[in-house]
Amino acid sequence: MSSSRGVLTDQAGRGRPHPSGSASDDNAADVRAGARDSSKIRQQAPRLLTRPPGPESTPVARRGLWHHRDFRRLWGGQTVALLGSRVTELALPLTAIVLLDASPAQLGFLNAAQYLPVLCVTLFAGVIADRVRRRPLMIGANLGRAAILTVVPLLAWLGGLSVGALCAVAFATGVLTAQFDVAYQAYLPSLVSKEQLVEGNSKLQGSRSVAESAGQGLGGTLIQVLTAPFAILVDCLGYLVAAVALLRIRTPEERPARAGARRSVRKDIAEGLRMTLRSRLLRVIMLHASWYNLLWDVVLVVFPLYAIRVLGLGPAGLGLVVAAGSVGALGGSLAARGLGERLGTGPAMVLGMAVASAATLLVPLAPNAGRGVGLAVLVCGYVLNGAGIAVFNIHSIALRQATVPVELIGRVSATFRFVTWAVIPAGGLLGGLLAAAVGLRATLLVTAVGLSAGALAFVFSRTARQATGGRTA
């Protein structure tokens, strides 16, 4: 995933001469602040990561978030919005294909328009999320996406729809989605206690998994009944429901401490980057997540061809395997809290990445002698991969939310999102080149070995030892 309030402009007077020494003084202050914040993460992380919640946990945390009315509102609204967004993910390209007879190049532009905002605006979105209250940002993003998406059925009804209009809608909604995603990760710590962050992220991840597994089927049915352009109205309704749910939250959100100060956007972005890169814990987790995303996109590009042409699964078998990943992710989200309480957040995070990466080895090793056996091996691999990466994501996000200072969490989350998503297009290109050079199965084998090697490096790294208190997952 607005209420930007004009803060994307450089408010420090760019181009205006500074008083002598003021720029260097500001930089020195930023360096000192970054060092203090990195020290705070080093002090807090071991306590958070290595100790499961014990008797000293608060009574509210022990009761669980089912009893937290405002969290239920956030969770329910986000679940409805995620289901609706899966309808649009299917309806936009189908509108271009069926109604507008789009060419492959035009479909490529439409796909790029959906993901380009992650690279263009995410870092700025982090600055905004640290300057203003996050809940109004989220409400504005939901209302904005609902309004923008109504353009598609309206233009279809008037006969003025074009591929260019679809690309503009996809880009505009992508901008607001980038803002929403950064703000909502930064907002959760102000709604629940640190002891409840893993549970909260588990429930939100569970909703995402349900939406991914059920949303496509729902979208296909709605498109069949309503046609693709008008099925998007269901997504509009979902965003309106989510906005109303957020409006009903009564837990007060503190005004950011530095709100209203005249600061440079460039310096704020740099502060978030410094915070992330100076913390060994955050830096290594971010880099390993980027490595995983790079190679996993190779799998996403190559696997459909491998499943159909090499294993002979057919569309139904391919759909079953992909759905198994969502089922595994749902299982991982349900198990994440228990693993964290039994092992600690750090060991659970490391274990999740190890399982997710090792499970990819089952994909190229699936036999093609019998479709039933090959299908079973692939389903097992995807279930384990989905479960492992869900556990990793839940605990790594909870770690960031619990240890990063509240005034920086928006920019740190934006830095994570920017870096880990920026490598995805390169993964798709790498997959195509490798498949052309060495074949489909060999490409998947090389990719699985690369993922497993990265996981091993992570498990035995100094960062993992810090996270697990000297134990290995």
Side-chain angles (χ1 to χ4, degrees), residues 225-237:
V225 173
L226 302 174
T227 72
F230 294 97
I232 292 174
L233 288 172
V234 174
D235 194 10
C236 300
L237 180 61

Side-chain angles (χ1 to χ4, degrees), residues 400-412:
R400 192 162 68 240
Q401 292 169 332
T403 57
V404 173
V406 66
E407 67 273 12
L408 280 165
I409 193 169
R411 282 167 285 170
V412 170

